[in-house]
Amino acid sequence: MYTAQGRLDNSATLKQFSPLVRRLAHQMIAKLPANVELDDMIQAGMIGLNDALGRFDAAQGVMFETFATQRIRGAMLDELRSGDWMSRGNRKQQRQIEAAMHKLEQQFGRAPAESEIAEAMGLSLADYQDMLGKVRGTQLLYLEDLSGGGEGENDYLDRHVADEAANPLAMLQDRRMREALVEAIQLLPEREQYVMSMYYEHDMNLKEIAAVIGVTESRVCQLHSQSIARLRVKLRAF
């Protein structure tokens, strides 16, 4: 992949390392909400690869793949930040919901009802349900932040998305994590168990689930968001 003058052959290098861009994009997108497009991550990654080609200096004693990986990930993170993939406001609201749930579970020794959560947050039931709808992007695969992390958000992507060790899929493959997840799902209110089962096990969409349980599609979205919050509270103690 070097020219006769000992320089990187840009065309050959781009072709050789394109699979690396795709692999890194797949790894990163597994930790993100469904609204993040794989093609966007790949495009950003190719920009990072091009940048690596222009900046690489073999005299520094670093392998090109190592250098390129850093530039590719950096470009993908920049793309996520510019797209505001999950607003700080939504993350804050998600934490508020989970904090209220955790406090009430400790107080009651059971899963709190929606009305109890709303009251604890100083909201009307309608306002609380509206909040659930707004954080609808929340996914169970946000498990990467269960290992901790402070209130600071400027480095949220760097701390979690770019960290190979924080891969939520790897956590789910762990036997103990799977057992904890199954137990947490079994502790959900019955209707929420149905929603989670239909959505994840039977691969039904919100409209189909709404028809089965006799509610609106937006109501299913609320129940799904609430279920995810309950699971995150349970799994945080894992």
Side-chain angles (χ1 to χ4, degrees):
M1 78 181 170
Y2 286 87
T3 66
Q5 291 74 33
R7 298 178 180 177
L8 281 173
D9 184 326
N10 287 7
S11 179
T13 303
L14 283 173
K15 183 177 180 180
Q16 178 178 348
F17 286 94
S18 290
L20 172 64
V21 173
R22 294 191 63 86
R23 184 167 69 251
L24 293 173
H26 278 283
Q27 290 174 356
M28 188 170 290
I29 207 166
K31 309 170 188 180
L32 297 168
N35 62 298
V36 179
E37 296 289 340
L38 176 63
D39 287 346
D40 290 343
M41 291 294 95
I42 293 174
Q43 183 177 3
M46 291 303 296
I47 293 174
L49 178 57
N50 269 303
D51 183 55
L53 283 170
R55 295 174 179 268
F56 181 66
D57 182 1
Q60 296 297 319
V62 179
M63 293 181 60
F64 177 74
E65 182 172 354
T66 301
F67 180 77
T69 296
Q70 294 175 344
R71 306 302 299 188
I72 291 167
R73 284 199 182 121
M76 291 179 180
L77 290 172
D78 287 342
E79 172 67 18
L80 290 171
R81 291 189 184 96
S82 66
D84 193 23
W85 60 276
M86 186 179 183
S87 72
R88 293 185 178 185
N90 282 355
R91 290 204 295 271
K92 182 178 180 180
Q93 289 178 333
Q94 179 68 23
R95 288 197 301 268
Q96 290 172 341
I97 291 171
E98 292 171 17
M101 285 181 173
H102 178 70
K103 181 178 179 179
L104 292 174
E105 284 189 3
Q106 295 295 309
Q107 180 180 343
F108 299 147
R110 59 169 172 78
E114 277 183 295
S115 58
E116 293 170 331
I117 300 170
E119 182 179 358
M121 296 181 68
L123 301 172
S124 68
L125 181 58
D127 286 342
Y128 169 66
Q129 291 175 341
D130 181 61
M131 181 183 290
L132 287 173
K134 289 179 180 178
V135 298
R136 61 178 300 169
T138 304
Q139 300 285 323
L140 187 57
L141 289 182
Y142 286 2
L143 291 175
E144 65 270 9
D145 66 353
L146 295 181
S147 59
E151 292 298 309
E153 298 182 37
N154 291 333
D155 62 341
Y156 184 88
L157 294 170
D158 299 294
R159 286 188 291 109
H160 301 307
V161 177
D163 185 359
E164 290 289 336
N167 188 340
L169 295 180
M171 292 182 70
L172 285 172
Q173 290 167 357
D174 182 87
R175 180 180 59 83
R176 293 177 302 159
M177 175 58 74
R178 289 200 305 269
E179 291 174 352
L181 180 59
V182 169
E183 182 179 349
I185 291 175
Q186 291 173 343
L187 293 174
L188 290 174
E190 187 175 27
R191 175 175 279 193
E192 292 177 29
Q193 286 189 44
Y194 289 151
V195 169
M196 296 296 283
S197 174
M198 286 185 280
Y199 192 84
Y200 291 102
E201 184 178 352
H202 300 290
D203 199 27
M204 296 170 65
N205 60 39
L206 299 183
K207 185 176 181 179
E208 292 169 333
I209 297 172
V212 170
I213 64 177
V215 298
T216 65
E217 193 171 335
S218 62
R219 179 58 180 151
V220 174
C221 176
Q222 293 167 1
L223 291 171
H224 176 263
S225 294
Q226 186 165 255
S227 301
I228 293 295
R230 293 189 198 274
L231 292 177
R232 284 165 55 84
V233 168
K234 292 291 186 184
L235 292 173
R236 184 169 285 113
F238 171 73

